Amino acid sequence: MPESKLLQPPVLDARLAAAAAYVRPGCVAADVGCDHGRLSVALAAQGKCRKIIASDIRPAPLATAQRLVTLHGCGDVVECRLGAGLSVLRPGEADDIVIAGVSGVTVCGMLEQAPEAFYAAKPDMRFIFIPATKHPFLRRWLAQHGFALLDETPVLAAGRYYTVMHAAYTGGTETPDPLGCVVGRAGRGPHAAGYLAREAMLLKKEARGAAPEESKRLLALAAAVEEAANTCQA
């Protein structure tokens, strides 16, 4: 057996572990913005996917990912591609698409640039998002542009709270209320209360620099988020 096959799979932080848990067994997965490639290689090592497409817009991180793929001997499962966003994928090519490590605004830009045919080609396609920032913005945009938020997993990684979102394109649109944009489906799990408390704190910080009426609105929203945090289910 080649020595590379004896290596332990890469250790995933809480964000990537939660994302990996949403990936469906036997699917073709795409790790868009793969950076170091740990998620792609871990999925390959688990035997969870029949194929994984690891992509990045930057040559240097993609080269790092390619080295990790080679080191672990999983080049027959993981294919590395250089390119921006969803442009690296053909319509219908991937079942589950992970987009991690960029702001919610950037995620929306990636999704918006894909043609309608991209979504129509595979109705059961799923998306897994790990937004670094702008979580409420992303939730609102998803609802207004035909995406259903199926589930979320709040996590604590390197001392910071994040949420991992699981979504599907349905074509149905709605305008969520402000509280829904902040809370989403992040009300369950061991880190849910901490995550929502952080979101309330960010609202209070924003209120300090806002005009009086806007400040009042933001503080009221922060109080509602704190109330939601107090009712979270572990």
Side-chain angles (χ1 to χ4, degrees):
M1 179 180 292
E3 184 178 354
S4 60
K5 294 293 186 181
L6 301 177
L7 292 175
Q8 292 297 314
V11 176
L12 302 180
D13 69 10
R15 298 170 305 151
L16 294 180
Y22 280 129
V23 174
R24 294 172 292 181
C27 77
V28 174
D31 182 6
V32 176
C34 66
D35 196 18
H36 38 56
R38 289 194 187 99
L39 175 61
S40 295
V41 171
L43 289 171
Q46 294 169 11
K48 194 168 190 179
C49 306
R50 65 180 186 272
K51 181 178 179 180
I52 302 148
I53 300 161
S55 71
D56 206 286
I57 194 173
R58 301 163 297 167
L62 192 67
T64 299
Q66 182 64 71
R67 286 194 293 271
L68 191 65
V69 169
T70 301
L71 180 66
H72 284 265
C74 55
D76 56 333
V77 178
V78 182
E79 177 187 351
C80 292
R81 296 181 185 177
L82 182 66
L86 301 180
S87 68
V88 300
L89 302 172
R90 296 184 298 275
E93 185 175 19
D95 302 299
D96 291 6
I97 300 174
V98 181
I99 303 178
V102 295
S103 78
V105 176
T106 301
V107 172
C108 297
M110 290 183 182
L111 298 174
E112 197 164 29
Q113 289 169 12
E116 181 66 28
F118 182 86
Y119 301 106
K122 188 174 284 291
D124 65 341
M125 185 166 52
R126 296 290 182 267
F127 291 87
I128 301 158
F129 306 121
I130 313 177
T133 58
K134 302 292 185 180
H135 304 175
F137 181 96
L138 176 56
R139 292 189 189 97
R140 179 184 298 107
W141 189 95
L142 291 173
Q144 292 176 336
H145 291 80
F147 290 82
L149 192 55
L150 306 175
D151 193 28
E152 293 191 49
T153 302
V155 298
L156 181 64
R160 288 188 60 189
Y161 285 103
Y162 300 86
T163 187
V164 181
M165 302 180 184
H166 188 210
Y169 182 78
T170 64
T173 62
E174 62 176 293
T175 300
D177 61 47
L179 182 60
C181 290
V182 178
V183 175
R185 293 185 175 273
R188 292 178 299 145
H191 297 296
Y195 168 77
L196 291 180
R198 172 186 172 275
E199 292 300 296
M201 179 271 293
L202 291 175
L203 287 167
K204 291 178 181 178
K205 182 178 180 181
E206 186 180 353
R208 289 198 292 270
E213 282 302 314
E214 178 65 4
S215 178
K216 181 179 179 181
R217 185 190 72 82
L218 290 169
L219 289 174
L221 181 56
V225 175
E226 286 179 328
E227 184 176 350
N230 292 333
T231 61
C232 283
Q233 298 179 3

